[in-house]
Amino acid sequence: MDVNASVFSERKLAYPHGERRLGRTATVAKGATPHVVPVGRTHNELDTIDVGGRKLERRKKYRDAAGSGRAAIVIDLASVDPWWPQAIEVRGAAEAIDEPRPLIRIHPERIVSWGIDTQRGAHTVLAKQR
């Protein structure tokens, strides 16, 4: 993907494409408490984050995304020596897609990072960028 066409900065785009294969996805059902689980994920040519998993269509996170249309994911790396937490959080509209394989597609609306750049960064993705 051309970083100039992405809603992610070059350094933030490295996170979904780097060696970090797991993320933590958060969903919520109507009137329920948040649900957070580790998941496999990829960044795709649509500039969205796709969340997958075994038998995903049978999981709470899939039902929640389908019902609420919202989800978030955190992709992190915590260096332990010295301690230096680094992460990117992507929040946005979510689709529960059935075919060709079940997945949750997160369309970025808010991107927050810490420990990646010299200072914490956050930006809202404008509708025309999506």
Side-chain angles (χ1 to χ4, degrees), residues 9-127:
S9 71
E10 185 175 354
R11 291 188 78 174
K12 291 175 185 166
L13 194 57
Y15 263 68
H17 285 278
E19 60 195 41
R20 299 153 195 93
R21 297 287 177 229
L22 287 177
R24 289 159 188 81
T25 294
T27 58
V28 65
K30 289 187 178 182
T33 58
H35 176 64
V36 180
V37 291
V39 294
R41 84 298 162 295
T42 59
H43 173 258
N44 64 37
E45 67 281 352
L46 301 173
D47 212 21
T48 62
I49 304 292
D50 287 351
V51 174
R54 294 180 55 195
K55 300 180 183 176
L56 183 66
E57 69 280 6
R58 297 162 70 187
R59 307 288 182 222
K60 180 176 179 4
K61 61 185 165 273
Y62 188 83
R63 293 188 306 271
D64 287 352
S68 72
R70 308 293 301 162
I73 187 165
V74 170
I75 304 163
D76 63 329
L77 171 70
S79 174
V80 293
D81 191 21
W83 173 248
W84 187 257
Q86 300 171 312
I88 181 171
E89 175 193 16
V90 179
R91 302 178 214 159
E95 295 178 83
I97 298 174
D98 294 322
E99 301 289 335
R101 63 180 171 74
L103 61 88
I104 298 168
R105 177 161 289 155
I106 302 173
H107 297 267
E109 293 176 355
R110 183 85 173 144
I111 300 170
V112 180
S113 68
W114 53 98
I116 296 173
D117 298 312
T118 56
Q119 60 186 17
R120 185 174 176 158
H123 74 276
T124 300
V125 178
L126 303 174

